[in-house]
Each structure stands twice: as C-alpha cells, then as structure tokens.
Amino acid sequence: VDKDTLDTQVKDRKIQEAAEKAQNEELANEMKQNDKIMCMLEERQKNDIRNINKAISEFQKNFQKPETRREFDLSDPQALKKDRPARLSDNDPRCTVSGLQKFMGEDLNYDQRMKFQKEQLREWSLQQQRDWKNALADQKFADDLYDKSRIELDQKTMEQQRKEEESRRAVCAATKDFKKTQAAELAERKKLEKYQKMKDDMDEISSLLQGNLLSENPEQAVSSFGRHRVITDRWKGMNQDQLMAIRYSQQQQVLEKLRLKDEERLRDAEWDRQSIQAARAQLVLERHQQRQNRERRQVLDNINAELSQEQKSKNIYLKEEAYSNFPTGQYYAQFNTTSR
C-alpha cells in the first residue's frame, strides 16, 4: 500500500470538502440576505399602504364630513330639535319660493343678502384654497420622505451587493490559487511515480538476473513484503507448526464469534425489555390523558348547560316582560305635522 498517495488523496479530499463547505455557507448567506431584502421591501410596501389609507381617512374626516353635504338636512338626526315654525316674520330667510311665503318684489333685504352671500362664497373659496395648499404641502412632504427612505434603502442594497461581489471575487481568486497548487503537486507526483516505477523495474530485472529461481532453498519463497508472505511460484507448502498456528487461530475466531453473538443476544433482550416498559408507560400516560379529557369535557358540558338555561330565562323575560308594551296611535300621530 502506497501510504503517501493515500495521505495525499485524504488531504485533497479534505481541501475539496472545505471548499464545498465555504461555497455552501456563501450561498446560505446570500439566500439569507435576499430574504432580508424581500422582508424589508414587503414591510416598506405595507407601511406605504398604511400611510395612504391613513391619509385617505384623515382627508375624509377633515374635508368630507357629513355636515358639509348638501342633503344633510334630510338625514340630520337633530332635525326635529332644530325645526321651527314655517314662518316667523317677513324677513325670515327660510321663506323660499316653494313655501309660497314670499313672492317677487317682497324681498327687502336683497342687497344685504347678496353681499353676505358673496362674502361667504369668498370665504369658502379662500378656505378651500388654503386647504388645498396644505394638502399639497403634506403630499409633497410625504413624497420627499418616501423618496429619501427609498434612496437610503437602495444605497444599503448597493453596498451589500458590492460587499458580496468582493467576497465572491476573493473566493474565486483563492479557488484559482488552490487549483494551481493542486496542478503543480499532481505534476510533481506523476514525475516521482514515473521515476519510482523505472527504479522498481530495474530492481526487478536485476533480481531476476541474479536470483536462484530453480533453487530448492525455502528462503527463496519468502516475500520481500514480510516473513508472513510467500511467493506462490516458489512456495513448497506449509510446515506442521504453521498449520497448527492456523488451526489455533481459527478456533480463537470461532470462540470470539460465539462471544459476540451472546453479547448481541443480551443487548437485544435488554432493548426489548426497555421498549416494552416504554410502551407500558406510554399506554398509562394516554389513559391518564383520556381520563382528564373526559373530566374536562364533562365540566364544559355542565357550564354550557348552565349558560343555555340562563339564556332561555333571559329570552323569556325579554319576551314576556321587557317587550310587552306596544306603541299606540298617539305615538305615530306626532310625526309629519308641519307644512314642510
């Protein structure tokens, strides 16, 4: 056995496994980084959607109130409390054309009313302009903040990609140097193997030329790898001592095999005993859990029965006592009593 070659192969195998491990770790780190970036992007999208929904809610709350609608007076919950008689005086502003309370030429406050309406329209227009400018400013501030955060995130992503590229280039350079070293070692090893083979061939030729192949000397059958090995074409057979040693070794092997079988049988019996004990303990535990589940289920059924009885009693009370009074005609007669 060529021990140096085996050691070299083991060393090469360890180096290859280390390189594969480093590559796998690099791929795992890259996947983690990609997952982190995706989580950050999803979180940013959620924040944007949340901010947009919040802005819409604030806009509806501030600029689309129910009181500002034209038909709010038809569904005003305080309409009955705010309602007044159809006409208080000739100057009552509620006297519209459809009410037939004031006709053409009877409006004595036309100039003041028009002046007030123009002033009111001007105030409403200015207020709308201010609100619109504030909304634009808020939107611009939100856009600037979003652009700033997006630029920062893009810069961080580019920096991370640059670091990953540098690390990848370093790994490639190290791999290239390692392969060059391996190629040089392989060339040197082939050269040494070729030299060793030539030397072995020369030694074999010299031994054949100088040896006593046809000699009956038993020493010539001894191999150059040790006294326990022989050359088959020169070997004349074993002596009695060698045969006895082989038989004794076979008997020892048989006894050792019997001892190992006994140990394995005892070990299997112990494993079986432990498995049976574990199964019994598991069965006892399952029965205990089933007993507890039955007790909890019985308690829960009792609680549900009590709650059902309470609900039935409450429904009977509401049906027979709380909701036993019905509205009379006098209650309905108080509605729709004005001219409007």
Side-chain angles (χ1 to χ4, degrees), residues 156-207:
K156 291 181 180 179
T157 305
M158 292 176 64
E159 182 67 19
Q160 185 66 27
Q161 290 178 356
R162 184 182 63 79
K163 291 181 180 179
E164 291 178 358
E165 187 67 25
E166 292 178 356
S167 176
R168 193 179 293 109
R169 285 199 295 268
V171 171
C172 292
T175 305
K176 185 177 180 181
D177 296 337
F178 174 73
K179 289 183 178 179
K180 287 183 179 179
T181 304
Q182 277 189 333
E185 291 178 356
L186 182 61
E188 185 66 22
R189 187 166 62 251
K190 286 183 178 180
K191 183 178 179 181
L192 292 175
E193 289 177 355
K194 184 177 180 181
Y195 174 75
Q196 185 67 30
K197 184 177 180 182
M198 292 178 63
K199 183 178 178 181
D200 294 341
D201 292 340
M202 293 299 296
D203 293 340
E204 185 179 1
I205 293 172
S206 176
S207 176

Side-chain angles (χ1 to χ4, degrees), residues 164-255:
E164 291 178 358
E165 187 67 25
E166 292 178 356
S167 176
R168 193 179 293 109
R169 285 199 295 268
V171 171
C172 292
T175 305
K176 185 177 180 181
D177 296 337
F178 174 73
K179 289 183 178 179
K180 287 183 179 179
T181 304
Q182 277 189 333
E185 291 178 356
L186 182 61
E188 185 66 22
R189 187 166 62 251
K190 286 183 178 180
K191 183 178 179 181
L192 292 175
E193 289 177 355
K194 184 177 180 181
Y195 174 75
Q196 185 67 30
K197 184 177 180 182
M198 292 178 63
K199 183 178 178 181
D200 294 341
D201 292 340
M202 293 299 296
D203 293 340
E204 185 179 1
I205 293 172
S206 176
S207 176
L208 290 174
L209 292 176
Q210 297 177 3
N212 49 356
L213 180 62
L214 300 177
S215 176
E216 294 292 334
N217 186 8
E219 294 294 332
Q220 68 177 351
V222 178
S223 175
S224 60
F225 295 101
R227 300 289 299 177
H228 61 286
R229 301 183 64 176
V230 297
I231 302 175
T232 56
D233 58 350
R234 302 178 188 177
W235 188 50
K236 301 302 181 179
M238 293 186 296
N239 53 27
Q240 292 296 325
D241 295 335
Q242 292 176 345
L243 292 173
M244 291 297 295
I246 291 173
R247 294 191 184 97
Y248 179 76
S249 176
Q250 290 177 349
Q251 291 178 358
Q252 294 296 324
Q253 290 177 357
V254 170
L255 294 175

Side-chain angles (χ1 to χ4, degrees), residues 63 127-137:
F63 304 105
Q127 182 64 30
Q128 289 180 354
Q129 292 178 5
R130 287 194 297 269
D131 294 340
W132 178 251
K133 289 180 181 179
N134 293 331
L136 290 177

